[in-house]
Amino acid sequence: MGKRKRRRSKEQGKTQDMAYFTQQLINAITLGAIYGLIAIGYTMVYGIIGMINFAHGEVFMIGAFISLIGFMICSMLGIGSAPVAIVLVLLISMAFSSVYGWAIERTAYRPLRGSFRLAPLISAIGVSIALQNYVQLVQGARPKPGGQIVSGGFNLFSLDGFDVRISWLQIIIVLVTVVLMGGFTWLIAKTSLGRRQRACEQDMKMAALLGVDVDRTISLTFVLGAALAAVAGMLFLMYYGLIDFFIGFLAGIKAFTAAVLGGIGSLPGAMLGGLLIGLIEVFWAGYFSSEYKDVAAFSILVLVLIFRPTGLLGKPEIEKV
């Protein structure tokens, strides 16, 4: 009898461990999808002008605050339908964030494009700090609750009393990410804007000589990256229900890490890097300690870059002679 009980307890422990692992995997994919959306904005800008937009995280944060204000306005106007409110707020957030992205390119990058390489980098960091303080002054330093916009879900399965649950919001986040990833891949591969972007990436001067409006192409790239950051900001607000003026810095650094890990300049690499950062964070917090999840993520980044300096899906740069 004693041996049977021990066997049963071991089997129950294994099934509960499996259920716990599956639940953490669902949470990790959801978080990684948000990081991936932000990382695409980093990798698009780097792919064309070869520089990191360090103010991109603040655009994500502004998108989250605009979404919060939008949901409050929808509530005041009596718009009770969640799908209608989400679509309206998403369009408003993308529009306003795109204006911020365009303004960052015009003020922080375009005037310094012909300068030494560190000048636009320093300028972008200055814009990032300015936007942080601007939101802190306007919205206050206290965290802002967003409420629960989408609720409910269903149990995938239950094992020995442990329910593996997936929420409707998690499904929405993953579906939106997949659709946007596919849409941007098609845009870059099949449209005239994508061809102009690829031409600027290969040789900006030659593209200009062949009639490509380089300034307009770069501005549109910043606008598209900012719109993606706005989508990620709204999803972050809906998922966590709490935002503050500092979320842009933390999420921006992690998304930049995801872009580097996957291969800076590669859209699939950015999404893969985001998923990997989400997996590392969630599983480290779930099985070890949540206090050191960032240490684990950056440590794995260092190890990957030691053995693959271009990232997992990045291509080595070929110098033009």
Side-chain angles (χ1 to χ4, degrees), residues 212-318:
V212 175
D213 191 339
V214 173
D215 288 341
R216 187 167 181 267
T217 303
I218 293 174
S219 291
L220 284 173
T221 303
F222 271 82
V223 166
L224 290 173
L228 273 180
V231 176
M234 190 190 78
L235 295 176
F236 185 93
L237 169 69
M238 293 170 63
Y239 190 57
Y240 289 101
L242 196 69
I243 57 172
D244 59 37
F245 73 97
F246 203 63
I247 62 168
F249 175 78
L250 294 173
I253 290 293
K254 291 175 183 177
F256 171 60
T257 304
V260 174
L261 181 63
I264 194 78
S266 167
L267 258 66
M271 187 55 64
L272 174 63
L275 290 173
L276 288 175
I277 294 294
L279 287 167
I280 294 165
E281 279 196 13
V282 171
F283 278 106
W284 192 274
Y287 285 97
F288 300 103
S289 170
S290 59
E291 296 176 356
Y292 297 102
K293 62 181 182 179
D294 295 336
V295 176
F298 287 109
S299 299
I300 290 175
L301 170 68
V302 171
L303 290 174
V304 170
L305 292 181
I306 287 173
F307 297 103
R308 283 192 64 88
T310 57
L312 295 174
L313 299 182
K315 297 178 181 178
E317 289 188 10
I318 302 172

Side-chain angles (χ1 to χ4, degrees), residues 19-30:
Y20 182 72
F21 174 85
T22 307
Q23 185 66 67
Q24 294 298 342
L25 181 62
I26 293 169
N27 298 337
I29 291 172
T30 307

